[in-house]
Amino acid sequence: LAADGTFKHLGLVGCGLIGSSILRAVREGALVERTSVFDRDGNVCAYVQAEGLADAAATDPGVLAGADLVLLCVPVGAMGPAAASIAEELQPGAVVSDVGSVKASVIEDVSPHLPGGVAFIPAHPIAGTEHSGPAAGFAGLFQGRWVILCPPGATAMDEAAAARVEALWHAMGAQCARMSAAHHDQILGITSHLPHLIAYTIVGTATDLGDDLKAEIFRYSAGGFRDFTRLAASDPIMWRDVFLNNREAVLELLQRFSEDLSALQKAIRRGEADTLERYFEKTRTVRRGVIDAQQER
Amino acid sequence: LAADGTFKHLGLVGCGLIGSSILRAVREGALVERTSVFDRDGNVCAYVQAEGLADAAATDPGVLAGADLVLLCVPVGAMGPAAASIAEELQPGAVVSDVGSVKASVIEDVSPHLPGGVAFIPAHPIAGTEHSGPAAGFAGLFQGRWVILCPPGATAMDEAAAARVEALWHAMGAQCARMSAAHHDQILGITSHLPHLIAYTIVGTATDLGDDLKAEIFRYSAGGFRDFTRLAASDPIMWRDVFLNNREAVLELLQRFSEDLSALQKAIRRGEADTLERYFEKTRTVRRGVIDAQQER
């Protein structure tokens, strides 16, 4: 442990869009002394080495030996196995964190595998693009974005570890907030998971209209569809895991969404102009809130 | 009629985002000799005059007298009354066109009001932003965008008028395509109308979750929700009219969308990982098509 609380040796499990962006941000800011990557995919390790993104990269977890911070950067469905595979490399005093988009399931899956004396600080950077893989990452990805931490414990060790993880995210340009895992999964259900599910659905609906319409759908996509195709181009494995691991919150929000959609459908069928106009006036004001929260590009 | 087929006097009915963007583009390119605006809203006329966007602006249709091209730039539900109000100002040989997002209903509503010897060329520029009103317009709005023309007639007069309207759009930086009104309404139903309806719905669903969650929903909106708030900030009157005037196409697409959403909902509930992954892999490829069609910003 460095005297100032910063980490000396950062280990990553998985190096895709998020992992490689962390490596680039850490390298740019010289935020740690050493970085190591454990990724099952030899091509990813070769890329990391060729680009000099980390000091070491290997398909064996042994490469993480000595890391005082290990970040799990794999799809949420792979968090449990990832934690199990690195357990032997974790020294007392090490901190484990993650970047998963669901928090309750990750806590449940990861915690049992961690040895005593290792603090687990679940975290979720609200940042990303529709691209995936290590070549898609960039150092500025977290600039101005929020990272939500959901520390499950409240011991002095947990508190110290959370503060150190926050300091690292701050150094990468992010802002940090804390909340319970259940609350995180509810909020992200509406701000991220449901929007992605809806985007995947509508792009699928359009695709099924037939090959003869496809060229025209692409060509005239600037009217709104385009924005959905961006979301629906996100990593399929990552999102499959998100929906399966935040199932209850997503299904409940989907139920509310379906009810609202049915109400608008009925208003359109019946020609209820006032109902539609009132609804659209209401949603218009939400945009102001997003802009005021400085979360527009 | 100018010898080279260009228009000499452009009249606009309605001057919001689209109308004012046309005026700016026409002014920038010096594409006509004279421009006139008829808008029921005295504030809009005052803005147009103060900014020098047109040579004349008035709340009386008489300002359009002598125009050889009149563009109807009002919500689609107001097209019929707009056409009726200007019928007396239209000279033989004049061309009327519009910018409405629905074409079949506009043809039905506008055509009966136009005097003989006046060609009607329904058109739809696939361009816009979430902002509305004359101050939101800009000259480059149509640059690289598509304009769809749906000429209902096929006489020599119609053909000549359509070619002249196309030439004006080309001069504003747009590309033109032609198709039937029914086909237009089907294609735009999926690329624009359904996406907006879905965006309005999900933003409404989020808003109804309660005031205590709102600040957090805004703050963490970068995960996907943000993109929907942009669409759902579009002009409420315009979109109310779109849904009511492209009712059949929107309701049919909505039915398909709901079925697809139910299938994904079931897959999530049952934990069918393969079904989800296959669906998300399929939609991912659509993004490529949009990018290849050069319709990404």
Side-chain angles (χ1 to χ4, degrees):
Chain A
L1 174 58
D4 60 356
T6 57
F7 296 102
K8 298 176 76 167
H9 180 178
L10 168 65
L12 292 193
V13 182
C15 187
L17 168 68
I18 300 294
S20 80
S21 293
I22 292 171
L23 286 177
R24 290 172 212 268
V26 161
R27 182 176 62 178
E28 197 172 283
L31 304 178
V32 302
E33 290 174 16
R34 182 175 173 76
T35 52
S36 306
V37 170
F38 160 43
D39 196 298
R40 284 271 157 93
D41 186 339
N43 293 324
V44 169
C45 295
Y47 176 86
V48 169
Q49 283 162 341
E51 296 288 319
L53 289 183
D55 298 305
T59 57
D60 184 282
V63 72
L64 301 178
D68 53 354
L69 172 64
V70 175
L71 293 181
L72 308 176
C73 305
V74 295
V76 290
M79 290 288 183
S85 70
I86 61 158
E88 283 188 16
E89 317 301 332
L90 296 169
Q91 302 165 336
V95 176
V96 172
S97 186
D98 78 305
V99 299
S101 302
V102 183
K103 295 272 64 86
S105 74
V106 168
I107 293 173
E108 198 178 308
D109 294 351
V110 167
S111 304
H113 299 292
L114 301 183
V118 170
F120 179 43
I121 308 298
H124 177 204
I126 317 291
T129 75
E130 70 273 29
H131 306 294
S132 30
F138 56 99
L141 180 61
F142 311 109
Q143 206 69 45
R145 296 294 178 221
W146 286 91
V147 177
I148 300 178
L149 283 79
C150 307
T155 65
M157 179 182 83
D158 292 327
E159 181 47 49
R164 293 172 70 200
V165 171
E166 281 178 342
L168 181 62
W169 281 112
H170 286 147
M172 289 192 276
Q175 310 175 78
C176 295
R178 295 193 194 183
M179 61 181 70
S180 73
H183 190 66
H184 167 278
D185 292 353
Q186 160 85 356
I187 294 288
L188 270 290
I190 189 71
T191 60
S192 179
H193 306 172
L194 186 60
H196 274 82
L197 186 64
I198 297 303
Y200 278 122
T201 305
I202 197 170
V203 173
T205 303
T207 310
D208 288 345
L209 288 179
D211 287 339
D212 47 330
L213 292 182
K214 261 184 205 166
E216 289 184 294
I217 290 173
F218 295 156
R219 179 184 284 181
Y220 306 122
S221 61
F225 185 65
R226 180 181 63 188
D227 300 335
F228 289 73
T229 65
R230 196 179 62 75
L231 292 180
S234 303
D235 187 58
I237 306 286
M238 171 190 160
W239 283 99
R240 175 200 70 187
D241 283 5
V242 166
F243 298 128
L244 294 179
N245 285 282
N246 197 19
R247 196 184 307 210
E248 280 75 33
V250 168
L251 289 176
E252 204 226 299
L253 290 165
L254 196 47
Q255 182 60 33
R256 290 167 179 257
F257 171 82
S258 296
E259 288 166 12
D260 292 339
L261 189 58
S262 293
L264 285 179
Q265 186 173 15
K266 199 159 76 176
I268 293 172
R269 188 180 296 115
R270 294 181 176 180
E272 294 171 358
D274 290 352
T275 305
L276 296 176
E277 191 182 333
R278 265 199 313 274
Y279 198 98
F280 302 161
E281 284 287 1
K282 182 182 75 176
T283 59
R284 185 174 223 189
T285 63
V286 173
R287 180 69 182 166
R288 193 71 250 160
V290 168
I291 290 169
D292 290 346
Q294 301 183 306
Q295 288 306 306
E296 190 43 60
R297 287 178 201 82
Chain B
L1 174 56
D4 60 354
T6 57
F7 295 103
K8 297 176 78 167
H9 180 177
L10 168 66
L12 291 192
V13 182
C15 188
L17 168 68
I18 299 293
S20 80
S21 293
I22 292 172
L23 286 177
R24 290 172 213 268
V26 160
R27 182 176 63 179
E28 198 173 282
L31 303 179
V32 302
E33 290 173 16
R34 182 175 172 78
T35 52
S36 306
V37 169
F38 161 44
D39 196 297
R40 285 271 157 92
D41 185 339
N43 292 324
V44 169
C45 294
Y47 176 85
V48 169
Q49 283 161 341
E51 297 287 319
L53 289 183
D55 298 306
T59 58
D60 185 282
V63 72
L64 302 179
D68 53 353
L69 173 64
V70 176
L71 292 181
L72 308 175
C73 305
V74 296
V76 291
M79 290 287 182
S85 71
I86 61 157
E88 285 187 17
E89 317 301 332
L90 297 169
Q91 303 165 336
V95 175
V96 173
S97 185
D98 78 304
V99 299
S101 302
V102 183
K103 295 272 64 86
S105 74
V106 168
I107 293 174
E108 196 179 308
D109 293 351
V110 167
S111 303
H113 298 294
L114 301 184
V118 169
F120 180 43
I121 307 298
H124 177 204
I126 318 291
T129 75
E130 70 274 30
H131 306 294
S132 30
F138 56 99
L141 180 60
F142 310 109
Q143 206 69 45
R145 296 295 179 220
W146 285 92
V147 177
I148 300 178
L149 283 78
C150 308
T155 65
M157 179 182 83
D158 292 327
E159 181 47 49
R164 293 172 70 199
V165 171
E166 282 179 341
L168 181 63
W169 281 112
H170 286 147
M172 290 193 277
Q175 311 173 78
C176 294
R178 295 193 195 183
M179 62 181 70
S180 72
H183 190 67
H184 167 279
D185 292 355
Q186 161 84 355
I187 293 288
L188 270 289
I190 189 70
T191 61
S192 179
H193 307 171
L194 186 60
H196 274 84
L197 185 64
I198 298 303
Y200 278 121
T201 306
I202 198 171
V203 173
T205 303
T207 310
D208 289 345
L209 288 179
D211 287 339
D212 47 330
L213 292 182
K214 261 184 205 165
E216 288 183 296
I217 290 172
F218 296 155
R219 179 183 284 181
Y220 306 122
S221 61
F225 185 65
R226 180 181 65 187
D227 300 334
F228 289 75
T229 66
R230 195 179 62 75
L231 291 180
S234 303
D235 187 56
I237 306 286
M238 172 191 158
W239 283 98
R240 175 200 71 186
D241 283 4
V242 166
F243 298 129
L244 295 178
N245 286 281
N246 197 19
R247 197 183 308 208
E248 280 75 31
V250 168
L251 289 177
E252 204 227 299
L253 290 166
L254 196 48
Q255 182 60 34
R256 288 166 180 258
F257 171 82
S258 296
E259 288 166 12
D260 292 339
L261 188 59
S262 292
L264 285 178
Q265 187 173 15
K266 200 160 73 175
I268 293 172
R269 188 181 296 115
R270 293 181 177 181
E272 294 170 359
D274 290 350
T275 306
L276 296 175
E277 191 183 334
R278 264 200 313 273
Y279 198 98
F280 302 160
E281 285 287 359
K282 182 181 73 175
T283 60
R284 185 175 222 189
T285 63
V286 173
R287 180 67 180 166
R288 194 70 250 162
V290 169
I291 290 169
D292 291 345
Q294 302 185 305
Q295 288 306 306
E296 189 44 59
R297 287 177 203 81

